[in-house]
Amino acid sequence: MAKPVRVRGLTEQEGQKLQRIVRRGSTSSVQFRRAMMLLASAGGSTILVIARVVQADEDTVRDVIHKFNEMGLACLNPRWAGGRPRFLDRKDEDFVVQTAATRPTVLGKPFTRWSIRKLADHLRRNRARPVLIGREALRCLLARRRISFQRTKAWKESPDAAFDAKVARIEYAFAFDEFGPLGIRPTAGSCWAEQSQPDRLSATYRRTHGITYFHGCYSVGDDQMWGINRRRKGIDHTWAALKTLRAARPDGAPIYVILDNLSAHLNWRIRRWADRNKVELCFTPTYAPWANPIEAHFGPLRQFTLANSNHPNHTVQTRVLRAYLRWRNKNARHPDVLAAQRRERARIRSERSIRWGGRPLSTAA
């Protein structure tokens, strides 16, 4: 049996960026759909499931995954362009990119950042390697080589010593997470309409309905998703969700639940109940909630139930969410395909030296 196509192991930064695009949306529909494909593949979904979620051809999903494995997050912005040949050769372009990525102070300039005008003037007056390029051509070159004008940001890496071990455990299991807050207000989105005549939603300035949180559960093996809306996050609601997952396997076999490090998930009473009921809580690494497989399915949930909506109250909003989940589960994969995927997962799990993503686990000396 051929090895299934899936993304390589995500780095922490890659996972966080993909999760941010899927949860918050993007101005580019191509970037949003491709991020959803990659995050779903990292969560264990197969090509067929991903193609159904994003409404794309299976070969398109495979191409995106292969490109990500080759070039990383650069595949989110495909280069679809043509035009006449460029006047600068490859070495000149590399020199321009290297200069743009170097702080001006290092080159003896009395400013901390380049503008397009200052950079073009510096390149033209450079005695060692003068490059004659206009401001618009320079802007296009930098955009083509993925050099953009960005704000300086702080960053942090996960200090979790068990990062790789926790990511490796995320395989055939249930996933649980909260999605929200969900308010009652007109939410912008996109839909088909006559050109220059978009659909309009009336604004509201009095929001007296409060908020809710969608507590979602996802079965990785069966590709089924369900959930309930609550007024808040809390230990009692997390406990109720875990009991629902335990009831989904009445045979008493051990189950694995993937969830993040929210304080409501780490309570000692929940941990003690889980130990007594053969429920293993698989926590994602610190600062890496993107590793939860359910994250890839929150994007479509937001796009098709909340975006472009104006629900009058939480009752209607909850009814719409449940209607979408019924439609989604009804259009899940064929049982024969599910059985084949279970066999494949069992085979991969039996190879203890291989983790999800294809990277070998580090062995102790």
Side-chain angles (χ1 to χ4, degrees):
M1 183 176 180
K3 185 178 180 180
V5 177
R6 60 180 301 150
V7 300
R8 57 170 172 75
L10 298 179
T11 64
E12 183 179 357
Q13 290 78 13
E14 290 173 343
Q16 290 176 350
K17 182 172 182 179
L18 292 176
Q19 182 196 26
R20 182 167 61 251
I21 294 175
V22 171
R23 278 217 168 186
R24 300 180 183 178
S26 172
T27 56
S28 171
S29 59
V30 175
Q31 188 180 75
F32 175 79
R33 296 176 74 233
R34 290 192 169 208
M36 194 185 305
M37 295 178 192
L38 299 176
L39 198 58
S41 179
S45 298
T46 62
I47 298 298
L48 181 59
V49 173
I50 300 173
R52 290 181 180 272
V53 170
V54 302
Q55 293 296 301
D57 187 75
E58 295 180 29
D59 290 337
T60 301
V61 179
R62 292 189 182 93
D63 290 341
V64 171
I65 294 176
H66 284 311
K67 289 182 179 179
F68 173 81
N69 293 337
E70 295 174 0
M71 56 192 303
L73 293 178
C75 73
L76 296 178
N77 298 304
R79 295 173 57 185
W80 297 327
R84 66 181 181 180
R86 297 185 291 272
F87 293 107
L88 301 180
D89 58 21
R90 185 71 179 184
K91 293 182 179 179
D92 289 334
E93 289 189 357
D94 293 340
F95 176 74
V96 172
V97 171
Q98 180 182 0
T99 305
T102 304
R103 286 184 174 270
T105 52
V106 177
L107 301 178
K109 297 297 180 180
F111 34 85
T112 58
R113 64 175 179 86
W114 295 111
S115 66
I116 292 293
R117 185 188 298 272
K118 287 183 174 62
L119 181 58
D121 183 70
H122 171 75
L123 292 171
R124 183 174 63 254
R125 297 174 182 272
N126 188 9
R127 295 181 179 181
R129 190 190 185 100
V131 177
L132 299 179
I133 185 172
R135 284 178 288 170
E136 183 61 21
L138 176 59
R139 185 191 64 80
C140 294
L141 170 60
L142 295 178
R144 187 170 63 251
R145 298 292 292 272
R146 298 188 60 79
I147 302 297
S148 59
F149 198 73
Q150 305 176 37
R151 288 183 176 274
T152 304
K153 296 182 178 180
W155 59 275
K156 59 184 177 181
E157 291 185 352
S158 174
D160 199 331
F163 183 93
D164 291 333
K166 289 183 178 180
V167 172
R169 287 194 303 174
I170 299 175
E171 43 183 39
Y172 177 58
F174 294 100
F176 170 77
D177 199 6
E178 296 88 357
F179 177 65
L182 308 179
I184 300 301
R185 60 182 178 85
T187 305
S190 58
C191 64
W192 296 102
E194 294 186 17
Q195 189 173 3
S196 301
Q197 296 184 11
D199 190 17
R200 297 182 180 274
L201 300 176
S202 59
T204 176
Y205 300 97
R206 297 189 60 191
R207 302 172 185 172
T208 59
H209 298 275
I211 62 174
T212 61
Y213 291 89
F214 176 75
H215 291 60
C217 302
Y218 175 65
S219 175
V220 179
D222 298 330
D223 189 30
Q224 298 290 303
M225 186 175 179
W226 66 96
I228 188 171
N229 283 39
R230 304 284 192 179
R231 283 289 180 178
R232 60 179 178 83
K233 299 180 182 179
I235 299 173
D236 50 346
H237 300 322
T238 301
W239 205 341
L242 294 178
K243 291 179 179 178
T244 302
L245 295 177
R246 175 68 274 180
R249 292 292 299 271
D251 55 356
I255 65 173
Y256 306 87
V257 181
I258 306 166
L259 62 172
D260 57 27
N261 295 275
L262 184 69
S263 59
H265 305 163
L266 300 171
N267 182 265
W268 65 271
R269 291 178 295 174
I270 293 180
R271 290 172 177 265
R272 186 174 62 180
W273 174 87
D275 292 338
R276 292 177 177 177
N277 291 272
K278 297 182 180 180
V279 177
E280 182 174 347
L281 303 180
C282 305
F283 295 100
T284 60
T286 308
Y287 305 143
W290 51 264
N292 195 331
I294 199 174
E295 290 289 346
H297 299 273
F298 280 156
L301 187 67
R302 180 180 62 83
Q303 286 291 322
F304 294 109
T305 61
L306 301 179
N308 200 35
S309 68
N310 188 9
H311 302 134
N313 51 56
H314 284 295
T315 302
V316 175
Q317 186 183 71
T318 302
R319 189 180 302 125
V320 172
L321 286 172
R322 292 180 178 178
Y324 170 78
L325 291 177
R326 287 195 298 269
W327 176 88
R328 180 205 175 282
N329 294 335
K330 184 179 180 181
N331 291 272
R333 293 171 295 173
H334 193 275
D336 293 342
V337 180
L338 287 176
Q341 294 301 324
R342 290 195 191 98
R343 290 194 297 269
E344 180 64 13
R345 290 192 184 94
R347 183 188 66 80
I348 296 177
R349 287 198 303 273
S350 65
E351 301 174 0
R352 298 181 181 276
S353 61
I354 301 298
R355 56 170 287 180
W356 279 113
R359 294 186 297 171
L361 290 171
S362 58
T363 56

